[in-house]
Amino acid sequence: MSDRIFRLASSHEHSHWIRLRTLILLRWVAIAGQITAIAVAQHRFNLQLELALCYLAIGISAAGNLIAIFAFPENKRLTEFENFLMVLFDLLQLAFLLYLTGGLNNPFALLVLGPVTISAAVMGLRSTLIIGATAIILVTLMAEFHLPLRTEQGFILRIPDVFIFGNWIAIVIAILFIGAYSFRVSNEMRSMSDALSATQLALSREQKLTDLGGVVAAAAHELGTPLATIKLASAELIEELDDRPDLREDAALIREQADRCRDILRSMGRAGKDDLHLRQAPFSTLVTEAAEPHMNRGKTVIYHEEPLEGGDFQQPTVLRKPEIIHGLRNLVQNAVDFAHSTVWIDAAWNGDRIILRICDDGQGFPPHLLGRIGDPFVRRRRGESELKQRPEYEGMGLGLFIAKTLLQRTGAQLRFANGSDPFQTLSPYRDRRGAIVEVAWPRKKIDAMEDGGPVIGKNIPLEI
């Protein structure tokens, strides 16, 4: 499946939209906490606060909630910009309350991390940076500008300047660290979710193509009887209409078309039954089926198979799983995309393992990305100069991720290397200087049967 389809399926246009009622609920919790804190400070500790301004700030927040409840439907989802405005308002309202209640002398100053964390979790990078920068500016201003906390006797409650500076440093560091951490984690989770959705879409498509054969076979079987009846009835009509040439020709046409339908259904049914019942196949057949769509793309594909040391010359018969076919197809596509002229596919096996290596003569994987190959949205395989030579190649980096995910579901382990790396051990051939992908299965994971016909190792050049 093309990257264009995946780009549509994994669009981030609505990925940051959240329900308005979720933010309304969080704001009600914040309002309840603010009212409780002010009431305790006034009645339990007898602090002299600017109650009118404090309750004005809380009242504005509550009024905003009530307006949102009655003005918007319950299932309203906020765009990223609307969400940004909501969180920015909450941050400014909290900063105003802290200004009225001692600034950084107030231990609740740490709550400015709340809006920053929310923005990092559900918004884009630009919105998160703006919220974080605003929080840092407000905290810096509150360190110097705030209304003092006074007791009933008129004493000012304040902590030493060194602790004010320490609080400021701690809050700023927390804003930077927690914001960056939350943004990175949530962004990776969204990327992984989108990539897994694309993987499931690819697997579903492959499974539907497999199941379609069963439907065709069943249709051919069910329609066989009525077509036979039509043919029999038309044959009898032909015999009885010897004196009516015009009607006799129509009856002959009906029989002819019934025969044609029978032939069509027979061919479709044969293909359908083959697809339905081919739940297992020789390993080379599976590899050929996976690589077939990319054989006619101007590159030479050479397939080689032989047993490993101690292995039997009898080729393994494996389960014909859609995950294996689609995963290998993506790996072959990637090799053909970046090969200069030749792609090698090597199969090997013994009693314990089945191994497939896919190599090409391209420039290989960038060394700094080898550790991340198979992660979603890793776009570049070649360097910048190579990308400029192929500006039409633009993907989302999902191909290798989908292949890796699907193949791992069948028990495979994947390793990636470059043939030009003097320390790599995946390929014994010196002429294969490009990328190397090794897929290894425990034989018991995909082996379908014990016995099969002997297959002698061979080289099959497929030149286009």
Side-chain angles (χ1 to χ4, degrees):
M1 185 172 295
S2 68
D3 280 343
R4 181 174 299 176
I5 296 178
F6 288 131
R7 187 176 296 111
L8 295 176
S10 60
S11 173
H12 289 263
E13 183 180 356
H14 297 164
S15 62
H16 305 310
W17 291 26
I18 62 175
R19 294 176 66 242
L20 175 61
R21 291 304 171 96
T22 300
L23 290 184
I24 290 176
L25 178 60
L26 293 176
R27 184 177 288 176
W28 282 129
V29 173
I31 289 173
Q34 292 167 1
I35 293 175
T36 302
I38 291 175
V40 171
Q42 181 185 8
H43 299 292
R44 175 66 178 83
F45 298 103
N46 297 319
L47 298 181
Q48 303 302 304
L49 303 175
E50 295 290 340
L51 294 179
L53 293 177
C54 289
Y55 285 117
L56 174 63
I58 296 175
I60 292 175
S61 184
N65 258 10
L66 294 174
I67 293 174
I69 290 175
F70 293 107
F72 297 100
E74 187 173 354
N75 61 350
K76 165 71 175 176
R77 289 188 176 271
L78 299 177
T79 64
E80 181 171 339
F81 181 69
E82 294 170 339
N83 189 18
F84 167 76
L85 294 180
M86 290 277 289
V87 174
L88 182 61
F89 171 80
D90 291 334
L91 177 61
L92 295 175
Q93 187 258 1
L94 177 60
F96 181 60
L97 278 178
L98 292 173
Y99 166 79
L100 297 174
T101 56
L104 295 189
N105 293 286
N106 189 333
F108 289 102
L110 204 61
L111 292 177
V112 297
L113 292 175
V116 176
T117 304
I118 293 175
S119 66
V122 300
M123 298 184 198
L125 179 60
R126 183 173 62 179
S127 300
T128 301
L129 290 176
I130 294 175
I131 294 292
T134 303
I136 292 175
I137 292 173
L138 292 174
V139 169
T140 303
L141 292 176
M142 283 189 293
E144 293 293 336
F145 306 102
H146 55 267
L147 298 182
L149 288 173
R150 296 181 183 274
T151 64
E152 188 177 17
Q153 293 79 20
F155 296 108
I156 296 178
L157 297 178
R158 62 186 304 272
I159 60 178
D161 291 341
V162 64
F163 288 106
I164 292 290
F165 180 74
N167 286 345
W168 177 79
I169 286 291
I171 293 175
V172 170
I173 292 176
I175 289 173
L176 296 175
F177 176 76
I178 294 179
Y181 180 84
S182 299
F183 179 80
R184 182 64 181 268
V185 170
S186 61
N187 192 52
E188 288 191 1
M189 290 177 63
R190 285 192 294 266
S191 298
M192 185 63 69
S193 176
D194 290 341
L196 288 175
S197 297
T199 302
Q200 193 62 39
L201 180 64
L203 181 58
S204 175
R205 176 178 179 272
E206 195 72 31
Q207 187 64 54
K208 287 180 179 179
L209 290 176
T210 300
D211 294 340
L212 183 60
V215 176
V216 171
H221 175 74
E222 295 296 331
L223 291 175
T225 300
L227 283 175
T229 304
I230 293 174
K231 182 179 178 181
L232 179 61
S234 61
E236 293 178 353
L237 287 174
I238 290 175
E239 294 178 357
E240 295 179 1
L241 294 175
D242 288 337
D243 56 341
R244 300 288 300 276
D246 53 340
L247 296 179
R248 191 174 186 278
E249 290 180 1
D250 292 340
L253 180 62
I254 291 175
R255 186 176 66 173
E256 179 184 348
Q257 294 303 312
D259 288 337
R260 182 181 178 189
C261 289
R262 180 199 60 190
D263 294 338
I264 293 174
L265 287 175
R266 181 178 297 170
S267 62
M268 293 175 61
R270 185 181 301 113
K273 289 178 181 178
D274 289 343
D275 192 50
L276 178 65
H277 295 124
L278 191 59
R279 302 302 183 188
Q280 57 191 35
F283 187 63
S284 61
T285 301
L286 203 68
V287 175
T288 302
E289 181 178 354
E292 184 178 5
H294 306 291
M295 293 294 190
N296 301 321
R297 296 181 54 195
K299 307 291 174 66
T300 300
V301 180
I302 300 177
Y303 177 70
H304 172 75
E305 60 182 28
E306 63 181 0
L308 295 169
E309 183 177 356
D312 193 350
F313 277 96
Q314 177 177 310
Q315 181 182 177
T317 299
V318 299
L319 298 173
R320 187 181 176 278
K321 295 183 176 181
E323 294 97 326
I324 297 178
I325 297 173
H326 198 88
L328 294 181
R329 184 169 296 161
N330 279 0
L331 294 180
V332 173
Q333 176 184 357
N334 189 72
V336 173
D337 281 341
F338 293 102
H340 291 316
S341 61
T342 308
V343 174
W344 295 270
I345 303 177
D346 301 318
W349 62 86
N350 59 18
D352 299 323
R353 295 191 303 161
I354 298 176
I355 299 175
L356 187 73
R357 294 189 183 99
I358 301 174
C359 315
D360 62 65
D361 60 351
Q363 293 190 357
F365 300 111
H368 65 282
L369 290 182
L370 272 177
R372 297 179 55 203
I373 296 297
D375 289 347
F377 304 105
V378 177
R379 290 178 172 81
R380 295 176 181 173
R381 169 167 161 184
R382 298 179 175 181
E384 293 288 346
S385 60
E386 197 70 18
L387 286 174
K388 291 178 181 178
Q389 295 176 11
R390 292 193 61 193
E392 75 281 1
Y393 186 83
E394 180 182 359
M396 295 188 69
L398 286 176
L400 286 177
F401 170 78
I402 291 173
K404 184 177 180 181
T405 302
L406 294 178
L407 292 172
Q408 284 179 340
R409 290 177 60 172
T410 66
Q413 293 183 348
L414 280 77
R415 291 197 293 166
F416 303 90
N418 288 322
S420 57
D421 185 356
F423 300 103
Q424 69 86 14
T425 59
L426 294 188
S427 175
Y429 306 101
R430 294 182 176 273
D431 56 342
R432 305 181 186 181
R433 313 298 292 172
I436 302 174
V437 181
E438 179 185 271
V439 187
W441 291 270
R443 183 157 178 166
K444 61 182 180 180
K445 292 287 187 180
I446 62 172
D447 198 0
M449 57 188 299
E450 293 281 337
D451 300 324
V455 176
I456 306 301
K458 54 188 177 182
N459 284 317
I460 307 175
L462 304 174
E463 298 198 18
I464 306 303

